[in-house]
Amino acid sequence: MKRILAFVLALCMLLALCACASEKEPAANDDTNPGTPDNATRHKIGVVLYGIDDPMAKTAYTYINHAAELYDCEVLWAIGDLDTAGQLKSCENMVSAGVEGLLYMPYDDSLNSSVSKLCAENEVYFATMFRSINDADIKAECEANPYYAANVHENDEEVGYFLTQCLADAGCKQITANQMSAANGFAYDRSQGCVKAAADNGMEIVGAIQNSGTGDAQEVINSMTNVLTLYPDCQGYFMLSGALGVGTTVINTLSGLGEKGFFKVAGFDTYEGMKKDFEDGWLVGMAGGCGPDALFSFICLFNAVDGTPLSDSTIWLTQKMVTVTSAEDCDVYEAYVDNADHLLYDDDTLKSLVGRFNPDVTLKDVEDLMALYSIEWIKEVTK
Amino acid sequence: MEKNKEKTMGLMKRFIPYAGLLLIVVVFALTTGGRFLTLKNLRIVTMQAMIPMIAAVGTTFVMAHNNLDFSLGGGCALCCVVAFRLTGGENLFLIFLLCMLTGLLCGTATSLIHIKGRIPAFMAGMCIMFIGRGVIDVAIMNNNGVMKLMGDVSFFANIRFYLVVLLAVVVVGYFLFNRTKIGKYQKLIGSNPVAAKLSGINVEKYKFLAFLVSGATLGIASLLTILRLGSLTATVGQGLETDVLISLCLGGMSMSGGSTSSIRAAVIGPLSYFLLVNGMTLWGIDPHIVYVVKAIVFLIMAFITVDRSKTKVVL
């Protein structure tokens, strides 16, 4: 009897709560007309990022927050999701929280399909950063969605080729590399660059270093040790990503296996302390500095949300990477690139890229600014 | 006096999960400007909680006899890989059968390693977890592109279908747990395995059945995972065992199993967990604080629900 009563009570409670629920969204400012900067709508944009511990992520975080402050936009952050399901949950929760735009870095092409449907159903603009879309069907599906504002990604294959060339120039004939699937957009493009450069330089790629992308140091250490034991003639490592502490872990592991510089590393996603590793002869090339990718994705998304889109269709932009090949370059890099305390773009420049402050802005303005990006340009603007 | 105190504690343990859920709903309903209790938001939370809920129903059987099943995430990955590889993402019915079969195999393997190998169940589960993660990495690596579901699955990939499946699983799970020997004996074994054995219960057989039930619900959860994501990813199922464990704890499930175990923990727990996370997102608080809050809530619930008469502290 008590159980029945308890059940009935619970059911009544649930029904009462559901009665409070409403299909109708809470009153929100539906005005997408940006108006003038002084009386413009304050938008809310959600951003999903894997973390803010490494320089690139920290820079992306700082750029977006700074731009949001300038544009009087509220940013909702979801940090720490390292799997597709987690990212999807965060996107859904943000849509529930009433964001008008969603910016995320997809770990997998398949997330784009799910988010595209979610955003289409809820009339939320979305943009992706740091990743292209490799799967043709998913790419077509996203591009057909009028809410897909922009995709900004790096010139991964080109830089992958360059970094492998650095290994070849350092005398490596046999190298190892990370193995990642074609479903992982950025990794596939970077790997393709490596494969092509290896073929052109007569290098052999052996073994495979495991890196699940979660920053699991032990996984990297074990994998490296195993590969170097199996392939004692291996001379170099093409590192797909040094983020999440992997770069430091790799060099620490190598330091315990032989004298300084006996093995060469070239890779993506810079990490703190790499200057010393260049000096010690471990590193022959690193590529990074793609923090502005997040900024330009955010700018394109904000324009779409604010009613001043830079294009009628999905914007595809390529963010150049900064390559570092010496300890001297590291000084400039660490001072001005991927340094959250120093932003490369001033407030006037950032405002000039948004329709609210500059009604004459075009997509070409954004492209021209992005095209300048290089270590030479950075040295120039920071003189 | 002692008896009254015990009775009060027992009542508290039973009602705290309900109170917790109610508290979460009320607090967030009042502080999120009306966004929390919208049908859209509740629908989203339900979709998120569905998969851990279904997996938790089966895991309840395992936890009731005082074991932990860490095979869920890897097992889910294994189910998805097998289903996709053998069907190419076509024929949803075949995908379902393969998920169920693989789930049952995972449950069987875990239980055999635990029972026959005399290896603690959590270690056996971890073996399956590593196998599953390894297999899916290889499968993804060897596939050129994304493994997607083919054809129109919109009829199944929606909340109505999910709710029907959930209801079926919960009803069957409730019936098995409370009305059949499969469930009742789990609680007996969890309370006192020696006494259960001396009473004539085939402890090994019922433990095996518990893992089988867990495997079956894992298969169903895997199918829903495939429907939700629409494709196979390298990270499928990641963290499922942790989500289920935390959810069951929030639902009032004792970590040591026994007679207080209940299927309601599998329903209330995941709902509370995902409503909590959703509510904190609506608040817009620092994501790092969300982790801290989750940890604190988990600790509090574990503290309340653990049966101290069975636990020993080694100093």
Side-chain angles (χ1 to χ4, degrees):
Chain A
M1 186 63 186
K2 279 185 191 172
R3 281 186 192 177
I4 295 168
L5 277 174
F7 178 75
V8 168
L9 198 64
L11 196 62
C12 290
M13 197 172 67
L14 190 63
L15 285 169
L17 285 169
C18 288
C20 301
S22 165
E23 280 271 17
K24 194 178 169 214
E25 282 296 304
N29 192 342
D30 293 324
D31 184 15
T32 56
N33 186 337
T36 65
D38 293 327
N39 64 0
T41 311
R42 184 175 160 84
H43 298 296
K44 193 196 277 189
I45 290 178
V47 183
V48 181
L49 192 60
Y50 62 90
I52 52 171
D53 301 321
D54 59 273
M56 185 193 85
K58 236 184 261 183
T59 309
Y61 183 76
T62 307
Y63 269 129
I64 290 173
N65 279 334
H66 184 75
E69 201 181 310
L70 272 181
Y71 305 155
D72 191 29
C73 169
E74 185 187 345
V75 175
L76 218 57
W77 286 95
I79 291 170
D81 293 311
L82 296 172
D83 63 295
T84 305
Q87 286 189 314
L88 180 59
K89 276 179 208 151
S90 291
C91 290
E92 287 170 339
N93 287 338
M94 287 194 169
V95 166
S96 267
V99 299
E100 296 156 83
L102 203 51
L103 176 61
Y104 62 99
M105 185 192 88
Y107 254 41
D108 204 282
D109 273 0
S110 59
L111 178 66
N112 293 309
S113 179
S114 305
V115 173
S116 178
K117 289 187 186 95
L118 173 72
C119 288
E121 278 166 15
N122 293 279
E123 296 177 359
V124 171
Y125 286 98
F126 68 106
T128 47
M129 55 182 175
F130 299 119
R131 298 286 184 271
S132 180
I133 305 177
N134 271 1
D135 186 273
D137 293 335
I138 294 175
K139 188 174 179 178
E141 182 189 341
C142 290
E143 282 186 313
N145 187 342
Y147 292 97
Y148 189 23
N151 175 297
V152 184
H153 61 278
E154 288 65 58
N155 52 343
D156 289 310
E157 190 174 320
E158 196 182 313
V159 177
Y161 191 101
F162 172 81
L163 290 171
T164 310
Q165 188 65 53
C166 290
L167 287 170
D169 293 343
C172 297
K173 285 290 168 202
Q174 196 180 71
I175 63 171
T176 187
N178 289 108
Q179 196 175 16
M180 271 180 162
S181 80
N184 193 320
F186 83 102
Y188 182 74
D189 291 339
R190 292 176 184 183
S191 299
Q192 286 300 101
C194 174
V195 166
K196 285 178 184 168
D200 291 346
N201 287 280
M203 294 157 78
E204 189 190 358
I205 303 176
V206 298
I209 303 289
Q210 297 304 318
N211 180 355
S212 61
T214 60
D216 183 349
Q218 199 55 54
E219 184 183 44
V220 174
I221 292 169
N222 292 341
S223 193
M224 279 223 74
T225 316
N226 290 339
V227 167
L228 293 183
T229 306
L230 274 170
Y231 302 100
D233 293 333
C234 185
Q235 298 153 315
Y237 171 36
F238 176 78
M239 183 167 61
L240 268 180
S241 173
L244 295 170
V246 169
T248 310
T249 302
V250 164
I251 302 301
N252 285 344
T253 306
L254 290 171
S255 302
L257 294 173
E259 59 181 41
K260 277 185 195 173
F262 84 94
F263 195 84
K264 305 298 177 192
V265 177
F268 287 83
D269 301 336
T270 57
Y271 56 94
E272 286 176 18
M274 64 177 182
K275 180 179 176 182
K276 186 172 183 310
D277 296 334
F278 269 106
E279 288 166 351
D280 289 345
W282 295 114
L283 291 179
V284 295
M286 286 297 291
C290 43
D293 177 318
L295 172 66
F296 292 112
S297 313
F298 183 81
I299 287 171
C300 293
L301 179 64
F302 182 84
N303 274 305
V305 167
D306 205 33
T308 56
L310 296 176
S311 170
D312 295 328
S313 57
T314 307
I315 297 168
W316 289 84
L317 294 170
T318 305
Q319 172 65 46
K320 291 164 84 171
M321 298 187 95
V322 174
T323 49
V324 177
T325 53
S326 67
E328 292 72 35
D329 279 346
C330 287
D331 287 330
V332 175
Y333 188 94
E334 281 168 9
Y336 303 111
V337 183
D338 275 358
N339 180 355
D341 296 327
H342 182 94
L343 302 180
L344 292 169
Y345 304 99
D346 58 31
D347 291 358
D348 289 336
T349 305
L350 292 177
K351 282 185 175 179
S352 72
L353 298 176
V354 166
R356 179 185 287 195
F357 299 98
N358 177 15
D360 299 325
V361 67
T362 63
L363 180 59
K364 194 168 180 311
D365 296 327
V366 178
E367 288 170 337
D368 289 344
L369 183 61
M370 291 177 78
L372 294 171
Y373 193 68
S374 66
I375 196 134
E376 289 73 31
W377 175 76
I378 291 165
K379 284 178 186 170
E380 192 60 42
V381 298
T382 54
K383 266 186 197 165
Chain B
M1 186 84 162
E2 201 58 40
K3 229 178 174 178
N4 279 340
K5 194 179 171 188
E6 266 180 40
K7 203 176 174 184
T8 312
M9 282 304 292
L11 274 170
M12 262 184 68
K13 283 183 186 180
R14 279 192 66 176
F15 288 106
I16 275 176
Y18 292 111
L21 178 59
L22 186 62
L23 185 69
I24 287 169
V25 169
V26 168
V27 166
F28 288 122
L30 294 174
T31 56
T32 53
R35 290 200 181 279
F36 188 70
L37 283 181
T38 58
L39 267 177
K40 180 173 89 174
N41 189 50
L42 292 175
R43 198 180 294 143
I44 280 172
V45 173
T46 309
M47 293 275 276
Q48 293 173 1
M50 196 80 62
I51 290 162
M53 229 184 259
I54 288 171
V57 168
T59 308
T60 302
F61 286 74
V62 174
M63 283 183 74
H65 72 240
N66 198 10
N67 261 327
L68 291 175
D69 190 356
F70 276 99
S71 69
L72 296 176
C76 180
L78 213 46
C79 291
C80 294
V81 165
V82 167
F84 263 101
R85 272 299 197 200
L86 296 180
T87 63
E90 296 174 1
N91 198 334
L92 206 57
F93 181 67
L94 200 54
I95 288 175
F96 166 66
L97 283 179
L98 287 167
C99 282
M100 283 296 285
L101 194 62
T102 313
L104 287 168
L105 280 170
C106 286
T108 305
T110 309
S111 63
L112 287 177
I113 295 170
H114 166 55
I115 294 166
K116 297 299 179 193
R118 301 268 183 245
I119 290 169
F122 80 91
M123 287 177 73
M126 284 172 82
C127 291
I128 303 298
M129 180 177 82
F130 286 125
I131 290 170
R133 292 263 71 93
V135 166
I136 198 162
D137 279 345
V138 170
I140 296 285
M141 219 70 77
N142 292 336
N143 200 69
N144 192 25
V146 177
M147 281 189 261
K148 298 188 290 279
L149 271 180
M150 308 304 256
D152 183 16
V153 294
S154 54
F155 178 78
F156 299 102
N158 65 73
I159 191 154
R160 285 184 200 89
F161 177 73
Y162 284 25
L163 280 173
V164 166
V165 171
L166 174 69
L167 195 63
V169 168
V170 170
V171 166
V172 171
Y174 179 86
F175 177 77
L176 282 177
F177 198 71
N178 295 301
R179 298 279 184 262
T180 68
K181 286 179 188 175
I182 295 174
K184 288 183 179 180
Y185 283 2
Q186 306 303 331
K187 291 186 247 189
L188 277 170
I189 295 166
S191 294
N192 193 329
V194 174
K197 192 162 187 175
L198 292 173
S199 304
I201 295 171
N202 187 337
V203 171
E204 288 186 359
K205 174 187 163 186
Y206 284 97
K207 277 188 172 183
F208 171 75
L209 286 173
F211 279 102
L212 220 56
V213 171
S214 181
T217 54
L218 178 65
I220 297 169
S222 302
L223 171 69
L224 295 193
T225 303
I226 290 170
L227 284 171
R228 179 155 156 78
L229 295 179
S231 61
L232 191 63
T233 71
T235 54
V236 75
Q238 199 159 291
L240 181 60
E241 58 278 327
T242 322
D243 282 346
V244 166
L245 188 66
I246 294 176
S247 298
L248 282 172
C249 190
L250 280 178
M253 182 79 181
S254 171
M255 290 291 107
S256 43
S259 56
T260 56
S261 308
S262 168
I263 286 288
R264 67 170 175 267
V267 176
I268 296 174
L271 261 181
S272 301
Y273 179 60
F274 286 95
L275 282 171
L276 183 64
V277 174
N278 175 265
M280 286 193 287
T281 306
L282 295 185
W283 271 353
I285 63 173
D286 188 331
H288 296 107
I289 294 176
V290 171
Y291 286 111
V292 175
V293 170
K294 277 192 215 176
I296 292 171
V297 170
F298 177 54
L299 192 61
I300 292 170
M301 285 310 295
F303 183 80
I304 291 169
T305 55
V306 77
D307 183 353
R308 285 176 181 76
S309 64
K310 282 195 265 182
T311 55
K312 293 176 192 171
V313 175
V314 177
L315 295 171

